[in-house]
Amino acid sequence: MEAEVLVIGGGLGGVAAALAALRAGRRVVLTEEFSWLGGQLTSQAVPPDEHSWVEQCGVTAGYRALRDGIRAYYRRHYPLTERSRAWRELNPGAGHVSRLCHEPQVAVAVIEAMLAPYRGSGRLRVLQPYRPVSAETDGDRVGAVTVAHCDGGDEITISAPYVLDATETGELLPLTGTEYVTGFESQSETGEPSAPDTAQPLNMQAASVCFALDHVDGDHTIDKPARYDFWRTYQPAFWGGPLLSLSAPHPRTQEIAERSFTPNPDDDPLAVIADQRISPGDGDLWTFRRIAARRNFLDGVYGSDITLVNWPMIDYLAGPIFDVPDAAQHLAAARELSYAFLYWLQTEAPRPDGGTGFPGLRLRGDITGSADGLAQAPYVRESRRIRAERTVVEQDLSLAVRGDKGAVEYADTVGIGMYRIDLHPSTGGDNYIDVPSCPFQIPLGALIPQRMENLLPAGKNIGTTHITNGCYRLHPVEWNVGEVAGALAAYCLERRVPPRAVRNTPGLLADFQDRLVGDGVELRWPQIAAY
């Protein structure tokens, strides 16, 4: 199979990359190993983590179209109350983590609608479920990538002038011999104040296997997991108690904090203030990442809220899920941990009435699109990362370092983002690193590999460090990165120049940035002038 732009990985970055290249008139092949496109928003079942100004600015026009499409889908197809239907900033789940908490299949429907015209025209081919297994290279160029059907059997080799790696873990980097880094870099390499003296390549943020729950009448207790007794007594050194509990370190202070857990509180969805400047929102676990608030819908339609479990207690710390010989075992153990926590909630969790266990908690695999009840894919916070022409480091954007100067401004900016430096506990035994950052830019240099000429990162595999990945890994930034990668591939095809020439030739860079602005990509945070 041939394409002009080949996008491997159909997460948010991959979808955005495909759309950008398609809008520029290019033929695209997009591959994805899971049954849903959308990655962390859908198959990983993670409601969007977004900055406080998302309703006004700070995201691309493409990402805003996705958000607007999700709200429009609810208004068009769901039996909302009149009050909720009129809510301009409709938050279907009224979760505290985001102003737009929603069921993942709604995002799938909107993404498919965005891609539908290009499928119909034949300019987009989507291969699902396929994953990359090998690549052909010639010096500093990738000639083709072979993908295999995830159910076994057929393989397809796809050639293209430009190949984009939008996989969740940067799978094309080792397959193509592209130089990359994993885990924690050393302070001598990056100069980062929070980095260790020695590099720790296998020290990565925890992955999590999320799941959806509601709470209804009856006993819905799952079978006791085989290693439940192990997980029941498992205690990370810094946790202050067993992992399976309602207590966990507070991300910002690291003090042990007790969370509350009350299924189906009779709260007013429109009264929820989802602003992480005020609070991380995880004080009450039920409403933290709630994706369907029953009071947003007509009486009796939803018998229960639906909440999404992406909580500290399912962060898997025992080992990485890639670049180690036992990666598959760690991934299986991460899924087992999620089942163990659910079983603990159903049988042992303390209730407000003094009893124990919530047997009415029901696993909603229909909501996550999986037969086993959990999310289709693990939530991967940290990927392999290219060795880039420009690596974003902590001192570029840390509030403690930059102060009122704001984040470093890059001449080659191709987008903006904002999130705290939010590192979950790690496979190396580190506690949270969760510290303030400044609204930042995305440098084009972070998308340009030091050596490879036609391979571009299109997700969390850009040139960040272990530390700065903590604020570049969230939904809007991943979309922005993917959109720019797709637009860059299309621009290079049009102008017949390599990506690094676009970055390093002032006239080309200015022209490409103008193209991005024309497509609705914000390059700088707004400064409000008096008048």
Side-chain angles (χ1 to χ4, degrees), residues 41 50 54-56 59-76 88-90 92 100 102 106-107 110-111 114:
L41 191 63
E50 299 169 329
V54 65
E55 302 294 346
Q56 290 79 38
V59 298
T60 74
Y63 186 79
R64 189 167 302 285
L66 172 65
R67 297 180 88 254
D68 290 346
I70 289 169
R71 284 183 170 139
Y73 191 95
Y74 273 95
R75 291 190 173 101
R76 186 177 304 119
R88 186 177 68 84
E89 296 180 2
L90 172 63
L100 186 59
H102 56 84
V106 175
V110 175
I111 286 169
M114 296 171 82

mmCIF file of all heavy atoms in Angstrom, residues 41 50 54-56 59-76 88-90 92 100 102 106-107 110-111 114:
data_model
loop_
_atom_site.group_PDB
_atom_site.id
_atom_site.type_symbol
_atom_site.label_atom_id
_atom_site.label_comp_id
_atom_site.label_asym_id
_atom_site.label_seq_id
_atom_site.Cartn_x
_atom_site.Cartn_y
_atom_site.Cartn_z
ATOM 1 N N LEU A 41 -8.364 9.672 24.939
ATOM 2 C CA LEU A 41 -9.721 10.178 25.109
ATOM 3 C C LEU A 41 -10.765 9.071 24.989
ATOM 4 O O LEU A 41 -11.882 9.230 25.483
ATOM 5 C CB LEU A 41 -9.996 11.264 24.068
ATOM 6 C CG LEU A 41 -11.269 12.100 24.231
ATOM 7 C CD1 LEU A 41 -11.245 12.899 25.523
ATOM 8 C CD2 LEU A 41 -11.443 13.031 23.035
ATOM 9 N N GLU A 50 -7.336 19.454 30.923
ATOM 10 C CA GLU A 50 -7.162 20.689 30.169
ATOM 11 C C GLU A 50 -6.869 21.852 31.117
ATOM 12 O O GLU A 50 -7.162 21.787 32.310
ATOM 13 C CB GLU A 50 -8.429 20.988 29.363
ATOM 14 C CG GLU A 50 -8.773 19.896 28.350
ATOM 15 C CD GLU A 50 -10.156 20.053 27.745
ATOM 16 O OE1 GLU A 50 -11.059 20.573 28.447
ATOM 17 O OE2 GLU A 50 -10.343 19.654 26.597
ATOM 18 N N VAL A 54 -9.382 26.924 28.689
ATOM 19 C CA VAL A 54 -9.679 26.153 27.485
ATOM 20 C C VAL A 54 -10.935 26.648 26.772
ATOM 21 O O VAL A 54 -11.045 26.534 25.549
ATOM 22 C CB VAL A 54 -9.795 24.652 27.823
ATOM 23 C CG1 VAL A 54 -10.993 24.375 28.731
ATOM 24 C CG2 VAL A 54 -9.869 23.801 26.569
ATOM 25 N N GLU A 55 -11.884 27.215 27.502
ATOM 26 C CA GLU A 55 -13.110 27.688 26.853
ATOM 27 C C GLU A 55 -12.894 28.984 26.080
ATOM 28 O O GLU A 55 -13.728 29.360 25.252
ATOM 29 C CB GLU A 55 -14.222 27.890 27.891
ATOM 30 C CG GLU A 55 -14.575 26.650 28.701
ATOM 31 C CD GLU A 55 -15.190 25.533 27.864
ATOM 32 O OE1 GLU A 55 -15.595 25.795 26.712
ATOM 33 O OE2 GLU A 55 -15.257 24.391 28.364
ATOM 34 N N GLN A 56 -11.785 29.674 26.332
ATOM 35 C CA GLN A 56 -11.535 30.953 25.670
ATOM 36 C C GLN A 56 -10.398 30.887 24.653
ATOM 37 O O GLN A 56 -10.477 31.474 23.578
ATOM 38 C CB GLN A 56 -11.202 32.046 26.706
ATOM 39 C CG GLN A 56 -12.377 32.465 27.562
ATOM 40 C CD GLN A 56 -12.669 31.479 28.682
ATOM 41 O OE1 GLN A 56 -11.756 30.929 29.280
ATOM 42 N NE2 GLN A 56 -13.936 31.253 28.966
ATOM 43 N N VAL A 59 -6.007 26.433 22.663
ATOM 44 C CA VAL A 59 -6.069 25.163 21.932
ATOM 45 C C VAL A 59 -6.218 25.479 20.452
ATOM 46 O O VAL A 59 -6.598 26.588 20.077
ATOM 47 C CB VAL A 59 -7.245 24.268 22.402
ATOM 48 C CG1 VAL A 59 -7.096 23.878 23.858
ATOM 49 C CG2 VAL A 59 -8.591 24.948 22.173
ATOM 50 N N THR A 60 -5.959 24.490 19.595
ATOM 51 C CA THR A 60 -6.095 24.722 18.157
ATOM 52 C C THR A 60 -7.568 24.724 17.760
ATOM 53 O O THR A 60 -8.424 24.187 18.475
ATOM 54 C CB THR A 60 -5.360 23.659 17.336
ATOM 55 O OG1 THR A 60 -6.101 22.431 17.369
ATOM 56 C CG2 THR A 60 -3.953 23.406 17.864
ATOM 57 N N ALA A 61 -7.840 25.279 16.592
ATOM 58 C CA ALA A 61 -9.217 25.277 16.096
ATOM 59 C C ALA A 61 -9.713 23.855 15.880
ATOM 60 O O ALA A 61 -10.901 23.563 16.084
ATOM 61 C CB ALA A 61 -9.289 26.070 14.790
ATOM 62 N N GLY A 62 -8.804 22.947 15.507
ATOM 63 C CA GLY A 62 -9.194 21.560 15.322
ATOM 64 C C GLY A 62 -9.611 20.901 16.623
ATOM 65 O O GLY A 62 -10.616 20.160 16.670
ATOM 66 N N TYR A 63 -8.852 21.151 17.681
ATOM 67 C CA TYR A 63 -9.218 20.586 18.978
ATOM 68 C C TYR A 63 -10.513 21.205 19.490
ATOM 69 O O TYR A 63 -11.350 20.520 20.077
ATOM 70 C CB TYR A 63 -8.085 20.817 19.981
ATOM 71 C CG TYR A 63 -8.322 20.142 21.316
ATOM 72 C CD1 TYR A 63 -8.090 18.779 21.471
ATOM 73 C CD2 TYR A 63 -8.795 20.856 22.414
ATOM 74 C CE1 TYR A 63 -8.317 18.153 22.690
ATOM 75 C CE2 TYR A 63 -9.023 20.234 23.626
ATOM 76 C CZ TYR A 63 -8.776 18.883 23.760
ATOM 77 O OH TYR A 63 -9.017 18.261 24.965
ATOM 78 N N ARG A 64 -10.695 22.507 19.234
ATOM 79 C CA ARG A 64 -11.948 23.147 19.663
ATOM 80 C C ARG A 64 -13.132 22.560 18.900
ATOM 81 O O ARG A 64 -14.225 22.386 19.460
ATOM 82 C CB ARG A 64 -11.869 24.659 19.455
ATOM 83 C CG ARG A 64 -13.035 25.416 20.082
ATOM 84 C CD ARG A 64 -12.784 26.892 20.140
ATOM 85 N NE ARG A 64 -11.591 27.250 20.878
ATOM 86 C CZ ARG A 64 -11.474 27.234 22.196
ATOM 87 N NH1 ARG A 64 -12.521 26.861 22.936
ATOM 88 N NH2 ARG A 64 -10.353 27.564 22.794
ATOM 89 N N ALA A 65 -12.933 22.218 17.631
ATOM 90 C CA ALA A 65 -14.007 21.587 16.863
ATOM 91 C C ALA A 65 -14.374 20.233 17.462
ATOM 92 O O ALA A 65 -15.556 19.859 17.491
ATOM 93 C CB ALA A 65 -13.582 21.428 15.408
ATOM 94 N N LEU A 66 -13.392 19.499 17.941
ATOM 95 C CA LEU A 66 -13.666 18.229 18.615
ATOM 96 C C LEU A 66 -14.486 18.458 19.875
ATOM 97 O O LEU A 66 -15.500 17.779 20.107
ATOM 98 C CB LEU A 66 -12.343 17.538 18.963
ATOM 99 C CG LEU A 66 -12.430 16.283 19.830
ATOM 100 C CD1 LEU A 66 -13.164 15.167 19.107
ATOM 101 C CD2 LEU A 66 -11.027 15.825 20.248
ATOM 102 N N ARG A 67 -14.095 19.428 20.686
ATOM 103 C CA ARG A 67 -14.824 19.710 21.929
ATOM 104 C C ARG A 67 -16.252 20.182 21.616
ATOM 105 O O ARG A 67 -17.214 19.736 22.241
ATOM 106 C CB ARG A 67 -14.104 20.785 22.755
ATOM 107 C CG ARG A 67 -12.733 20.384 23.232
ATOM 108 C CD ARG A 67 -12.077 21.507 24.036
ATOM 109 N NE ARG A 67 -12.440 21.416 25.443
ATOM 110 C CZ ARG A 67 -13.272 22.207 26.060
ATOM 111 N NH1 ARG A 67 -13.884 23.178 25.400
ATOM 112 N NH2 ARG A 67 -13.512 22.057 27.359
ATOM 113 N N ASP A 68 -16.363 21.094 20.658
ATOM 114 C CA ASP A 68 -17.693 21.588 20.289
ATOM 115 C C ASP A 68 -18.553 20.452 19.741
ATOM 116 O O ASP A 68 -19.766 20.404 19.986
ATOM 117 C CB ASP A 68 -17.580 22.706 19.250
ATOM 118 C CG ASP A 68 -16.985 23.987 19.822
ATOM 119 O OD1 ASP A 68 -16.897 24.119 21.063
ATOM 120 O OD2 ASP A 68 -16.588 24.865 19.020
ATOM 121 N N GLY A 69 -17.930 19.558 18.984
ATOM 122 C CA GLY A 69 -18.659 18.439 18.424
ATOM 123 C C GLY A 69 -19.194 17.496 19.487
ATOM 124 O O GLY A 69 -20.303 16.944 19.355
ATOM 125 N N ILE A 70 -18.437 17.312 20.550
ATOM 126 C CA ILE A 70 -18.881 16.449 21.652
ATOM 127 C C ILE A 70 -20.114 17.049 22.320
ATOM 128 O O ILE A 70 -21.112 16.365 22.566
ATOM 129 C CB ILE A 70 -17.734 16.231 22.652
ATOM 130 C CG1 ILE A 70 -16.656 15.331 22.024
ATOM 131 C CG2 ILE A 70 -18.247 15.625 23.959
ATOM 132 C CD1 ILE A 70 -15.365 15.260 22.808
ATOM 133 N N ARG A 71 -20.065 18.344 22.595
ATOM 134 C CA ARG A 71 -21.230 18.986 23.216
ATOM 135 C C ARG A 71 -22.439 18.963 22.268
ATOM 136 O O ARG A 71 -23.570 18.714 22.699
ATOM 137 C CB ARG A 71 -20.877 20.424 23.604
ATOM 138 C CG ARG A 71 -20.007 20.505 24.853
ATOM 139 C CD ARG A 71 -19.718 21.916 25.271
ATOM 140 N NE ARG A 71 -19.080 21.933 26.588
ATOM 141 C CZ ARG A 71 -18.067 22.722 26.912
ATOM 142 N NH1 ARG A 71 -17.592 23.586 26.022
ATOM 143 N NH2 ARG A 71 -17.546 22.685 28.123
ATOM 144 N N ALA A 72 -22.195 19.205 20.992
ATOM 145 C CA ALA A 72 -23.306 19.191 20.026
ATOM 146 C C ALA A 72 -23.913 17.795 19.931
ATOM 147 O O ALA A 72 -25.133 17.645 19.770
ATOM 148 C CB ALA A 72 -22.807 19.653 18.659
ATOM 149 N N TYR A 73 -23.089 16.761 20.033
ATOM 150 C CA TYR A 73 -23.589 15.385 19.966
ATOM 151 C C TYR A 73 -24.539 15.110 21.129
ATOM 152 O O TYR A 73 -25.598 14.507 20.949
ATOM 153 C CB TYR A 73 -22.410 14.414 19.985
ATOM 154 C CG TYR A 73 -22.785 12.986 19.652
ATOM 155 C CD1 TYR A 73 -22.669 12.510 18.359
ATOM 156 C CD2 TYR A 73 -23.239 12.111 20.638
ATOM 157 C CE1 TYR A 73 -23.003 11.199 18.046
ATOM 158 C CE2 TYR A 73 -23.585 10.815 20.342
ATOM 159 C CZ TYR A 73 -23.457 10.357 19.041
ATOM 160 O OH TYR A 73 -23.796 9.064 18.738
ATOM 161 N N TYR A 74 -24.148 15.565 22.320
ATOM 162 C CA TYR A 74 -25.039 15.402 23.478
ATOM 163 C C TYR A 74 -26.345 16.148 23.263
ATOM 164 O O TYR A 74 -27.431 15.626 23.535
ATOM 165 C CB TYR A 74 -24.353 15.879 24.758
ATOM 166 C CG TYR A 74 -23.525 14.813 25.422
ATOM 167 C CD1 TYR A 74 -22.158 14.708 25.193
ATOM 168 C CD2 TYR A 74 -24.104 13.892 26.298
ATOM 169 C CE1 TYR A 74 -21.393 13.730 25.804
ATOM 170 C CE2 TYR A 74 -23.354 12.910 26.916
ATOM 171 C CZ TYR A 74 -21.995 12.832 26.662
ATOM 172 O OH TYR A 74 -21.249 11.850 27.265
ATOM 173 N N ARG A 75 -26.261 17.360 22.791
ATOM 174 C CA ARG A 75 -27.490 18.147 22.615
ATOM 175 C C ARG A 75 -28.381 17.550 21.524
ATOM 176 O O ARG A 75 -29.605 17.640 21.596
ATOM 177 C CB ARG A 75 -27.132 19.596 22.275
ATOM 178 C CG ARG A 75 -26.503 20.354 23.437
ATOM 179 C CD ARG A 75 -26.387 21.845 23.162
ATOM 180 N NE ARG A 75 -25.941 22.555 24.355
ATOM 181 C CZ ARG A 75 -24.697 22.955 24.560
ATOM 182 N NH1 ARG A 75 -23.752 22.722 23.646
ATOM 183 N NH2 ARG A 75 -24.367 23.589 25.672
ATOM 184 N N ARG A 76 -27.765 16.915 20.545
ATOM 185 C CA ARG A 76 -28.532 16.363 19.425
ATOM 186 C C ARG A 76 -29.137 15.005 19.760
ATOM 187 O O ARG A 76 -30.235 14.684 19.320
ATOM 188 C CB ARG A 76 -27.623 16.240 18.199
ATOM 189 C CG ARG A 76 -28.345 15.817 16.920
ATOM 190 C CD ARG A 76 -27.389 15.791 15.740
ATOM 191 N NE ARG A 76 -26.726 17.082 15.564
ATOM 192 C CZ ARG A 76 -25.409 17.251 15.630
ATOM 193 N NH1 ARG A 76 -24.612 16.233 15.878
ATOM 194 N NH2 ARG A 76 -24.897 18.444 15.454
ATOM 195 N N ARG A 88 -24.148 26.644 28.377
ATOM 196 C CA ARG A 88 -23.197 26.905 27.284
ATOM 197 C C ARG A 88 -21.968 26.023 27.398
ATOM 198 O O ARG A 88 -21.490 25.465 26.412
ATOM 199 C CB ARG A 88 -22.787 28.381 27.282
ATOM 200 C CG ARG A 88 -21.915 28.769 26.093
ATOM 201 C CD ARG A 88 -21.597 30.246 26.089
ATOM 202 N NE ARG A 88 -20.719 30.610 27.186
ATOM 203 C CZ ARG A 88 -19.382 30.497 27.143
ATOM 204 N NH1 ARG A 88 -18.791 30.032 26.061
ATOM 205 N NH2 ARG A 88 -18.645 30.855 28.174
ATOM 206 N N GLU A 89 -21.434 25.889 28.594
ATOM 207 C CA GLU A 89 -20.258 25.054 28.810
ATOM 208 C C GLU A 89 -20.703 23.696 29.365
ATOM 209 O O GLU A 89 -20.248 23.244 30.423
ATOM 210 C CB GLU A 89 -19.279 25.746 29.743
ATOM 211 C CG GLU A 89 -18.705 27.037 29.148
ATOM 212 C CD GLU A 89 -17.721 27.729 30.066
ATOM 213 O OE1 GLU A 89 -17.436 27.192 31.168
ATOM 214 O OE2 GLU A 89 -17.230 28.812 29.695
ATOM 215 N N LEU A 90 -21.588 23.039 28.634
ATOM 216 C CA LEU A 90 -22.148 21.753 29.065
ATOM 217 C C LEU A 90 -21.038 20.783 29.462
ATOM 218 O O LEU A 90 -20.134 20.497 28.675
ATOM 219 C CB LEU A 90 -22.988 21.156 27.933
ATOM 220 C CG LEU A 90 -23.487 19.721 28.142
ATOM 221 C CD1 LEU A 90 -24.435 19.636 29.332
ATOM 222 C CD2 LEU A 90 -24.154 19.206 26.866
ATOM 223 N N PRO A 92 -21.174 17.086 30.542
ATOM 224 C CA PRO A 92 -22.109 15.968 30.710
ATOM 225 C C PRO A 92 -21.901 15.158 31.974
ATOM 226 O O PRO A 92 -22.857 14.684 32.586
ATOM 227 C CB PRO A 92 -21.877 15.123 29.458
ATOM 228 C CG PRO A 92 -21.345 16.095 28.443
ATOM 229 C CD PRO A 92 -20.518 17.055 29.229
ATOM 230 N N LEU A 100 -15.205 19.342 30.525
ATOM 231 C CA LEU A 100 -15.880 18.517 29.521
ATOM 232 C C LEU A 100 -15.587 17.041 29.804
ATOM 233 O O LEU A 100 -14.803 16.403 29.113
ATOM 234 C CB LEU A 100 -15.420 18.894 28.104
ATOM 235 C CG LEU A 100 -16.148 18.195 26.954
ATOM 236 C CD1 LEU A 100 -17.642 18.488 26.986
ATOM 237 C CD2 LEU A 100 -15.549 18.604 25.615
ATOM 238 N N HIS A 102 -16.997 13.322 29.663
ATOM 239 C CA HIS A 102 -18.006 12.721 28.792
ATOM 240 C C HIS A 102 -17.714 11.242 28.593
ATOM 241 O O HIS A 102 -16.609 10.756 28.856
ATOM 242 C CB HIS A 102 -18.020 13.430 27.441
ATOM 243 C CG HIS A 102 -16.672 13.438 26.760
ATOM 244 N ND1 HIS A 102 -16.227 12.387 25.994
ATOM 245 C CD2 HIS A 102 -15.680 14.361 26.762
ATOM 246 C CE1 HIS A 102 -15.016 12.656 25.550
ATOM 247 N NE2 HIS A 102 -14.655 13.852 25.997
ATOM 248 N N VAL A 106 -18.822 8.898 22.760
ATOM 249 C CA VAL A 106 -19.254 10.146 22.112
ATOM 250 C C VAL A 106 -18.085 10.760 21.351
ATOM 251 O O VAL A 106 -18.239 11.229 20.213
ATOM 252 C CB VAL A 106 -19.831 11.124 23.150
ATOM 253 C CG1 VAL A 106 -20.172 12.461 22.504
ATOM 254 C CG2 VAL A 106 -21.067 10.522 23.808
ATOM 255 N N ALA A 107 -16.909 10.755 21.965
ATOM 256 C CA ALA A 107 -15.726 11.263 21.264
ATOM 257 C C ALA A 107 -15.420 10.415 20.040
ATOM 258 O O ALA A 107 -15.009 10.941 18.993
ATOM 259 C CB ALA A 107 -14.530 11.293 22.206
ATOM 260 N N VAL A 110 -17.683 11.536 17.242
ATOM 261 C CA VAL A 110 -17.307 12.837 16.683
ATOM 262 C C VAL A 110 -16.046 12.713 15.835
ATOM 263 O O VAL A 110 -15.952 13.296 14.735
ATOM 264 C CB VAL A 110 -17.130 13.866 17.816
ATOM 265 C CG1 VAL A 110 -16.614 15.201 17.267
ATOM 266 C CG2 VAL A 110 -18.451 14.075 18.553
ATOM 267 N N ILE A 111 -15.072 11.961 16.313
ATOM 268 C CA ILE A 111 -13.845 11.750 15.532
ATOM 269 C C ILE A 111 -14.165 11.072 14.202
ATOM 270 O O ILE A 111 -13.666 11.472 13.141
ATOM 271 C CB ILE A 111 -12.841 10.922 16.348
ATOM 272 C CG1 ILE A 111 -12.226 11.790 17.459
ATOM 273 C CG2 ILE A 111 -11.744 10.340 15.464
ATOM 274 C CD1 ILE A 111 -11.418 11.020 18.478
ATOM 275 N N MET A 114 -15.573 13.546 11.841
ATOM 276 C CA MET A 114 -14.562 14.457 11.307
ATOM 277 C C MET A 114 -13.779 13.807 10.164
ATOM 278 O O MET A 114 -13.359 14.479 9.213
ATOM 279 C CB MET A 114 -13.617 14.904 12.427
ATOM 280 C CG MET A 114 -14.299 15.727 13.514
ATOM 281 S SD MET A 114 -13.254 16.037 14.969
ATOM 282 C CE MET A 114 -12.273 17.437 14.408
#
